[in-house]
């Protein structure tokens, strides 16, 4: 099936100029390298399709789609195919708030309670804190699957009543936790202040001026033919249509869909600072600092990083059956967009590979990274053999081994976790993971908190495969999820 995806027709075209000036171009050798890199990524990940856009010299330079937008029957992806961008949508909700601030209708430092009454503890959090994930509002969707309640329709009011009115997870401004709830509240404030539907406001103020002519919303209903279908898999098993989130859940936080070249036009406006007022860009690109001075490398709906001496901004997106990556190097006037209709293989890895072609790192950086990775793997293997096993590691190993046998100890999981682990899911896990044999290495790569849960990232080496596990669990020890995926190389 993977081979069929790669052989499916892929449509390529040089993008039209983003302005009256002559368009930037990607030379033939670089274009060929991008194509080879992308096709290799598609083959190794098993993703149905991926569509990319590259901005060079501040202009749309190259767009191309690879693989199948839909399966059974096969529909090749084209450069006009739209994909859900999920949390990349947060960039636009934040911009909407900035536009209203420019118009004098609100301030970033206004309390949310000024516009959304009866928020309880959350009444005092500011719009700036909502847009930088420092408000302390409990995230309603930390899972990497669609939990039972999210399979049913909801409303913005219901989300705010259930989640935004809860006691905050921490005093505002003292910590950072990713929160879709904060952006739902921000979207609701945009609608209340502007008097317009959020999507309509974005269309009038952003999409139309930038000539982003194929933007749609992905909240009320699934994308339909000829746009991309959503696909998922369990472990390393076969592809399945991904379930759609219930209507209303993605509002303000993850509700947009578009083609990559439209998203690239937005990136060009960020590079040129051409749409918003100068003060808005200053606020948007300023990394938030907690009250203790800690830099969280996040602005208003944007990651703010410095990698290999280069400033990089943007956002990724993850939803049911879709993943998105939008990265901009504003000082180099380069941006890369990659959208895909799978929810297991991050297009961020592909963007990094393409970035090496258009922003080649110094040779010593490549060597240092390779040496560092090799040493870490060696150290992890030695530690696995000689160090005592922690209870958390023993549990992770037991759950993974159970999956290899097609079984699960359901007492370890919450109601939502057991809802996800159906007989069909367990069958796919057994068929795809069982043949790999015993675990050769399991190592905790990192942990964080989100949505009231502790998230652990495990690395597993097994049968010559490098796997990653995203485990999420509650303070009482119950697991909400234990998702096994192939790791990015």
């Amino acid at each position: 099936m993977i081979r069929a995806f790669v052989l499916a027709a892929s449509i390529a075209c040089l993008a039209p100029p983003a302005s009256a000036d002559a368009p930037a171009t990607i030379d033939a050798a670089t274009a060929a390298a991008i194509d080879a890199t992308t096709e290799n990524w598609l083959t190794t990940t098993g993703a149905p399709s991926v569509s990319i856009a590259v901005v060079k010299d501040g202009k749309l330079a190259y767009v191309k789609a690879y693989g199948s937008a839909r399966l059974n029957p096969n529909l090749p992806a084209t450069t006009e195919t739209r994909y859900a961008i999920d949390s990349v949508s947060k960039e636009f909700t934040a911009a909407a708030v900035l536009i209203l601030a420019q118009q004098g209708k609100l301030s970033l430092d206004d309390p949310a309670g000024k516009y959304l009454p009866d928020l309880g503890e959350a009444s005092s959090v500011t719009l700036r804190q909502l847009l930088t994930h420092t408000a302390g509002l409990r995230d309603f969707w930390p899972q990497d699957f669609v939990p039972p309640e999210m399979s049913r329709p909801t409303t913005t009011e219901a989300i705010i009543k259930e989640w935004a009115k809860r006691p905050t997870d921490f005093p505002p401004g003292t910590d950072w936790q990713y929160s879709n709830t904060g952006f739902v509240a921000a979207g609701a404030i945009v609608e209340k202040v502007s008097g317009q539907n959020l999507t309509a406001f974005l269309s009038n103020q952003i999409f139309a001026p930038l000539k982003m002519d194929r933007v749609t919303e992905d909240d009320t209903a699934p994308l339909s033919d000829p746009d991309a279908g959503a696909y998922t898999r369990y472990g390393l098993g076969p592809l399945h249509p991904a379930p759609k989130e219930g209507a209303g859940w993605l509002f303000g936080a993850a509700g947009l869909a578009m083609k990559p070249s439209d998203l690239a036009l937005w990136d060009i406006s960020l590079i040129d600072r051409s749409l918003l007022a100068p003060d808005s860009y200053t606020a948007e690109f300023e990394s938030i600092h907690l009250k203790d001075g800690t830099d969280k490398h996040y602005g208003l709906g944007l990651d703010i990083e410095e990698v290999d001496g280069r400033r990089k901004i943007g956002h990724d997106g993850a939803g049911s059956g879709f993943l998105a990556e939008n990265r901009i190097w504003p000082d180099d006037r380069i941006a890369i967009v990659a959208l895909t209709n799978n929810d297991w293989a991050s297009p961020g890895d592909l963007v990094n590979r393409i970035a090496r072609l258009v922003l080649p790192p110094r040779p010593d950086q490549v060597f240092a990274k390779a040496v560092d990775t090799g040493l870490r793997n060696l150290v992890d293997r030695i530690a696995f053999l000689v160090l005592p096993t922690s209870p958390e590691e023993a549990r992770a190993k037991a759950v993974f081994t159970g999956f290899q046998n097609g079984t699960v100890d359901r007492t370890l999981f919450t109601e939502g976790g057991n809802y996800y682990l159906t007989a069909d899911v367990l069958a796919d896990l057994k068929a795809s993971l069982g043949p790999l044999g015993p675990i050769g290495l399991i190592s905790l790569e990192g942990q964080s908190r989100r949505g009231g849960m502790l998230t652990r990232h495990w690395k597993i080496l097994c049968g010559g495969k490098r796997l990653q596990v995203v485990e999420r669990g509650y303070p009482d020890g119950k697991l909400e999820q234990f998702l096994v995926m192939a790791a990015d190389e």
Side-chain angles (χ1 to χ4, degrees):
M1 181 177 289
I2 294 172
R3 184 179 300 275
F5 296 155
V6 177
L7 294 178
S10 60
I11 308 298
C13 68
L14 284 179
S19 70
D21 298 329
T25 59
I26 294 292
D27 63 83
T30 302
I34 290 172
D35 289 349
T37 297
T38 306
E39 287 167 357
N40 174 264
W41 181 87
L42 203 65
T43 300
T44 57
T45 62
S49 75
V50 66
S51 188
I52 66 169
V54 178
V55 172
K56 180 183 177 185
D57 299 330
K59 300 181 186 301
L60 195 54
Y62 193 66
V63 293
K64 191 167 182 177
Y66 310 75
S68 299
R70 290 181 179 265
L71 309 173
N72 302 321
N74 178 70
L75 177 67
T78 79
T79 54
E80 292 297 304
T81 301
R82 293 183 292 198
Y83 295 76
I85 64 169
D86 292 295
S87 286
V88 179
S89 304
K90 291 179 172 67
E91 297 184 26
F92 297 99
T93 299
V97 173
L98 286 168
I99 289 169
L100 290 172
Q102 290 174 189
Q103 296 172 351
K105 297 179 179 179
L106 54 72
S107 166
L108 288 173
D109 296 314
D110 283 343
K114 179 177 179 179
Y115 308 101
L116 302 175
D118 303 322
L119 281 184
E121 283 186 22
S123 294
S124 64
V125 306
T126 67
L127 275 63
R128 191 188 305 274
Q129 290 167 336
L130 292 178
L131 299 177
T132 57
H133 300 300
T134 58
L137 270 64
R138 175 71 58 87
D139 183 21
F140 66 80
W141 193 16
Q143 301 92 336
D144 297 300
F145 63 93
V146 180
E149 63 273 17
M150 284 188 63
S151 66
R152 300 181 289 271
T154 191
T155 63
T156 303
E157 293 76 15
I159 293 174
I160 291 174
K161 181 178 180 181
E162 171 65 19
W163 294 93
K165 292 185 179 182
R166 292 187 178 195
T168 55
D169 281 348
F170 49 82
T174 64
D175 203 350
W176 190 98
Q177 278 191 45
Y178 195 87
S179 176
N180 289 292
T181 310
F183 275 79
V184 170
I189 290 170
V190 170
E191 290 198 336
K192 186 164 187 178
V193 173
S194 69
Q196 297 182 52
N197 168 276
L198 176 60
T199 303
F201 183 84
L202 293 174
S203 179
N204 293 335
Q205 299 292 327
I206 299 176
F207 305 148
L210 295 180
K211 296 181 171 54
M212 299 169 63
D213 58 6
R214 291 270 293 152
V215 180
T216 188
E217 58 90 19
D218 183 48
D219 186 24
T220 58
L223 294 176
S224 58
D225 190 353
D227 291 322
Y231 295 93
T232 192
R233 71 192 301 194
Y234 311 115
L236 306 180
L239 276 61
H240 300 277
K244 174 61 181 164
E245 306 91 347
W249 286 101
L250 304 184
F251 169 85
L256 297 175
M258 63 188 69
K259 60 184 182 180
S261 57
D262 275 346
L263 189 49
L265 294 176
W266 162 251
D267 293 346
I268 291 168
S269 77
L270 295 181
I271 292 170
D272 291 340
R273 301 190 175 209
S274 60
L275 182 72
L276 307 179
D279 287 349
S280 291
Y281 286 113
T282 299
E284 187 177 20
F285 299 160
E286 183 179 6
S287 183
I288 193 69
H289 287 71
L290 303 181
K291 290 184 177 180
D292 66 3
T294 303
D295 186 349
K296 299 310 296 183
H297 306 290
Y298 196 90
L300 302 180
L302 287 169
D303 294 315
I304 309 292
E305 308 170 90
E306 184 166 313
V307 180
D308 295 337
R310 291 184 170 102
R311 188 164 59 116
K312 182 172 73 169
I313 65 175
H315 213 288
D316 57 12
S320 183
F322 289 100
L323 293 170
E325 188 79 15
N326 185 42
R327 292 296 157 188
I328 308 153
W329 291 262
D331 302 327
D332 300 277
R333 299 181 61 75
I334 283 175
I336 304 171
V337 177
L339 308 180
T340 181
N341 55 341
N342 88 87
D343 59 11
W344 64 88
S346 170
D349 176 53
L350 175 60
V351 167
N352 288 338
R353 297 185 197 183
I354 294 174
R356 293 184 194 116
L357 299 174
V358 296
L359 285 170
R362 298 191 309 268
D364 59 319
Q365 291 172 331
V366 176
F367 177 74
K369 181 177 180 180
V371 170
D372 178 63
T373 301
L375 287 175
R376 283 192 297 108
N377 284 338
L378 177 60
V379 170
D380 286 344
R381 285 181 182 275
I382 295 172
F384 181 68
L385 293 173
V386 301
L387 292 180
T389 302
S390 69
E392 295 79 13
E393 181 182 308
R395 181 179 64 179
K397 184 176 180 180
V399 172
F400 181 85
T401 302
F403 284 177
Q404 290 185 299
N405 296 320
T407 62
V408 60
D409 180 353
R410 294 196 176 274
T411 65
L412 294 176
F413 285 84
T414 63
E415 180 182 352
N418 281 307
Y419 166 86
Y420 176 79
L421 292 169
T422 64
D424 288 341
V425 170
L426 290 173
D428 278 2
L429 291 170
K430 179 180 180 180
S432 63
L433 302 179
L436 300 180
I439 292 175
L441 167 72
I442 181 169
S443 173
L444 182 64
E445 295 285 90
Q447 58 186 29
S448 59
R449 294 191 178 275
R450 177 176 168 186
M453 289 187 251
L454 179 65
T455 299
R456 292 188 175 94
H457 294 269
W458 298 97
K459 175 177 68 177
I460 294 179
L461 301 182
C462 186
K465 294 283 188 180
R466 184 165 172 260
L467 307 172
Q468 60 179 329
V469 171
V470 182
E471 173 194 303
R472 300 190 194 273
Y474 286 99
D476 65 3
K478 289 280 190 178
L479 298 179
E480 178 76 4
Q481 73 170 51
F482 193 91
L483 295 188
V484 183
M485 299 162 284
D488 293 338
E489 295 299 332

